[in-house]
Every structure is written in structure tokens, then in C-alpha cells.
Amino acid sequence: MKGVGESLKNEIAVLFDLDGVIVDTAKHHYLAWKQLADELGFDFTVEDNERLKGVSRMDSLNILLEIGNISVSESEKISLASKKNQRYVESISNMDERDILPGVKAFLYELKSNGIPFALGSASKNAPMILKKIGLYDDFSAIVDGNAINKAKPDPEVFILGAKKLNVEPENCVVFEDAQSGIEAGKRAGMKVVGVGDPKVLAGADLYIDTMEDMTLSRIKGLFF
Ligand code: G6P
Ligand code: MG
């Protein structure tokens, strides 16, 4: 007869956000948006930046412009978003496996060696390029990124699609997220959500960790009982 742990094997899956969960890109996004705000003549704080985490590039720009109380034409928006992205891509050009956040590699290894499939669920169109840079591209069973989705987090599309690709029911999936919009997306997908960060900033997760170093497979399984 199968024990509880064994019967769960292959029936659960993990979905990871990228920026701020797998790799330390969140600060590069913030600095590139901040530079744009400086040029447009307004202040953009770390607190304001929480609203942009997990949000698509164009939606982020719209929030930024709303914060600065600035309105621009659609074509100007496209050029501002592309300016931000060029700077962002430039600022992460030297990124490599040293930028993987603490505890991530060990946890992915634990999942892999226990046969637990995992996928990426990110709003970023740069996700495949970043995963290649840090040497994790081939480790994910599936990648759902900003190129594959129509509706940005907090819409659950990105995670629903990830579960589908892994062939696992949404209620058997665990999402790792550092963004409020991502936590909401995971809950709306009917999944368990682990918040990576401060519970005072992030609401609604089932469990909170400071870093992936605090994570083990048995804690994941504990979410289901
Ligand atoms: C992630 C980040 C956001 C970023 C978005 C789009 O969700 O948390 O800060 O704006 O991806 O990223 P991209 O690389 O496509 O501009
Ligand atoms: Mg994130």
C-alpha cells in the first residue's frame, strides 16, 4: 500500500514566478522604471513599485503614468515601454547563475529528485532569455511567460496554463510568488500559494517564507493537509 507521501508523488506540481522568486531581477525592473519616472519629472518610490510587481510591461507603464499623473499618446507609451525594456535588458546583461536567489537551486533539486514537476509562470517576456542566462532553462518542465498569455496577473491565466502544461489539476498546484498580483492570481486559479516576502506587504498567501532557503518538499506537502 502507498504511504501518504508516495500517493502524492507525481500528483502535485509547483509553479514559480520568476522575478524576485527565482532570480534577483526585481531591483533591476524597479531601477529602470525609476529612471523613466525621473525623466518624466516625478518621484517613484519602493512602495509605489509594489504595485508593478508581477504586472505586465504595458500595465506597469500605465500604473507608473497614473502615479506621475501624466497622460501620453499610445505611440508615446510604446516608445516609453521600449526605452524601459532596453535599459532593463542592458542592466541584466551580465547576469549569470550567481544571481539565482538563495535556496532556489537546492529546492529545485529536491523537487526534481522526488519526481515533482515544476513550471515557470511569469508575466515577463524576457523570461526565456533570463532562464538561459542563469542556466535553469532546461530544468523547467514547462515555461509560461508574458509571450504566451493574454491576461496579466492577478488574472489566473498564467498559472492555469502552467498547470495544464504539467497535466496537474490546479488544486494540486503550489505557486511561489513575491507579488501581490501574483498571490491573487494563484488563489484565483484555485492553487496553494507561498508568499516570498513580508506578510505585512503581501496578503492572502497560505504560507510565507523569507527566502527559498526556508523551503522543503515536506512543507509543500503540509499545505495539503
Ligand atoms: C514580471 C515582473 C514585472 C515586470 C513584468 C514584465 O512580472 O515582476 O516587474 O514588469 O514581469 O516583464 P518584462 O520583462 O516582459 O518587461
Ligand atoms: Mg515576481
Side-chain angles (χ1 to χ4, degrees), residues 154-175:
D155 190 282
E157 184 186 15
V158 65
F159 294 132
I160 297 285
L161 200 55
K164 212 178 212 166
K165 286 194 172 200
L166 294 177
N167 205 17
V168 175
E169 292 299 323
E171 65 261 33
N172 295 334
C173 290
V174 180
V175 166

Side-chain angles (χ1 to χ4, degrees), residues 42-44 48 51-52 62-70:
F42 65 93
D43 198 25
F44 177 60
D48 292 331
R51 291 179 62 196
L52 272 56
N62 284 327
I63 296 172
L64 187 89
L65 294 172
E66 183 196 302
I67 291 169
N69 206 9
I70 285 175

Side-chain angles (χ1 to χ4, degrees), residues 30-45:
Y30 169 62
L31 292 173
W33 287 124
K34 188 167 170 47
Q35 190 176 349
L36 210 59
D38 286 347
E39 287 163 3
L40 292 167
F42 65 93
D43 198 25
F44 177 60
T45 66

